[in-house]
């Protein structure tokens, strides 16, 4: 899933972001309410994790504006306020779930998964097939020629992007934005390195090269 994490505490934000990415989620982050509101309105996300107490604009106000604007993305609200009245206020404002700090990451992850399942639109594909490769988005499994391929979270997301755009070239800039949430060139070989690892795993067993690379254009999943 693509998740917006809005949390002003650096340690908490980095801990949760790292944990969600290790589970294979694509995470974009905001450290204050104004950025959270902007990203909620301009980015496509599946779930929003929203801290209630944030600078610039508190999470409660962000939530109210989202719901007033017709944004129906599921929201899990985090708060240090554990009174029943506070939880009721959050739920009545449009939160789909409420988690009180301190919390166990395993519980947060389980609640996020539940929100994703509950709100998934009927008919949305949970399996992709292209170029002789099969991908199960729910089980996080990939197979080629009947053999399961073990991929790291970033490799899985790279392949997902290629499969969703099978037959089309996906540029390096597009991948930086969609996989790493970079809106600038980090001047590293991060895309090339991960793409090389993905290609090696897909081609294991002397299978034909699954990915076509055209310098200056991008990457495309071959129709093999």
């Amino acid at each position: 899933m693509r998740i917006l994490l809005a949390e002003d505490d650096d340690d908490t934000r980095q801990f949760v972001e790292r944990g969600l990415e290790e589970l294979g989620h694509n995470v974009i982050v905001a450290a204050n309410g104004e950025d959270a509101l902007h990203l909620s309105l301009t980015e496509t996300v599946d779930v929003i994790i929203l801290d209630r107490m944030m600078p610039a604009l508190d999470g409660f106000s962000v939530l109210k504006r989202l719901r007033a604007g017709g944004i129906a993305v599921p929201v899990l609200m985090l708060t240090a306020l554990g009174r029943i009245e506070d939880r009721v206020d959050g739920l009545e404002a449009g939160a789909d779930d409420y988690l009180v700090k301190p919390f166990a990451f395993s519980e947060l992850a389980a609640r996020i998964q539940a929100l994703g399942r509950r709100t998934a639109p009927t008919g949305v594909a949970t399996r992709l097939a292209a170029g002789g490769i099969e991908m199960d988005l729910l089980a996080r499994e990939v197979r080629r020629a009947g053999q399961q391929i073990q991929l790291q979270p970033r490799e899985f997301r790279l392949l997902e992007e290629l499969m969703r755009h099978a037959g089309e070239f996906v540029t390096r800039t597009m991948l930086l934005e969609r996989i790493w949430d970079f809106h600038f060139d980090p001047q590293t070989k991060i895309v090339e390195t991960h793409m090389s690892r993905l290609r090696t795993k897909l081609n294991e067993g002397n299978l034909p090269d699954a990915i076509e690379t055209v310098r200056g254009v991008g990457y495309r999943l071959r129709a093999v």
Side-chain angles (χ1 to χ4, degrees):
M1 289 187 289
R2 194 157 195 253
I3 300 171
L4 169 60
L5 170 61
E7 166 64 63
D8 67 314
D9 182 77
D10 291 341
D11 291 338
T12 301
R13 186 176 65 252
Q14 291 168 12
F15 173 73
V16 173
E17 179 184 12
R18 182 169 60 252
L20 291 173
E21 288 184 339
E22 287 174 353
L23 293 175
H25 299 299
N26 185 19
V27 184
I28 57 177
V29 298
N32 61 67
E34 288 184 350
D35 287 348
L37 180 61
H38 173 73
L39 290 170
S40 299
L41 297 174
T42 59
E43 297 284 344
T44 300
V45 297
D46 301 298
V47 175
I48 298 172
I49 302 173
L50 187 62
D51 183 31
R52 178 159 179 168
M53 305 299 291
M54 289 188 293
L57 191 66
D58 66 86
F60 197 69
S61 298
V62 172
L63 179 59
K64 283 186 171 181
R65 294 190 189 187
L66 290 178
R67 295 312 188 221
I71 305 297
V73 175
V75 172
L76 170 63
M77 182 162 278
L78 302 178
T79 183
L81 305 174
R83 298 182 309 162
I84 295 298
E85 294 86 347
D86 296 315
R87 301 187 201 186
V88 171
D89 287 345
L91 294 171
E92 288 185 344
D96 297 271
D97 203 351
Y98 212 88
L99 190 57
V100 177
K101 299 177 181 179
F103 54 84
F105 176 77
S106 57
E107 181 179 4
L108 172 68
R111 291 183 182 227
I112 290 298
Q113 285 296 121
L115 286 177
R117 288 194 300 269
R118 191 172 77 195
T119 59
T122 303
V124 170
T126 60
R127 293 177 180 269
L128 301 176
I133 300 169
E134 299 177 349
M135 172 178 282
D136 187 323
L137 296 170
L138 295 181
R140 313 296 291 181
E141 291 182 352
V142 173
R143 293 182 180 274
R144 187 182 186 195
Q147 298 298 314
Q148 185 169 343
I149 302 169
Q150 299 296 331
L151 299 180
Q152 295 298 315
R154 298 289 191 186
E155 297 164 354
F156 189 95
R157 285 286 294 118
L158 277 173
L159 181 58
E160 181 183 350
E161 283 296 324
L162 293 176
M163 294 184 71
R164 288 188 182 280
H165 298 85
E168 305 173 9
F169 279 104
V170 181
T171 69
R172 182 175 182 275
T173 299
M174 292 165 64
L175 293 174
L176 283 171
E177 290 184 345
R178 295 173 182 174
I179 310 301
W180 285 273
D181 197 37
F182 285 158
H183 299 282
F184 61 93
D185 190 339
Q187 300 298 318
T188 69
K189 297 290 185 181
I190 190 171
V191 175
E192 292 79 0
T193 299
H194 280 76
M195 193 65 73
S196 177
R197 292 173 182 167
L198 174 60
R199 176 182 272 116
T200 297
K201 292 181 178 182
L202 291 176
N203 300 346
E204 189 173 348
N206 294 320
L207 291 172
D209 195 351
I211 300 172
E212 179 183 1
T213 303
V214 176
R215 187 180 299 276
V217 178
Y219 304 91
R220 179 170 62 183
L221 192 68
R222 292 181 185 275
V224 296

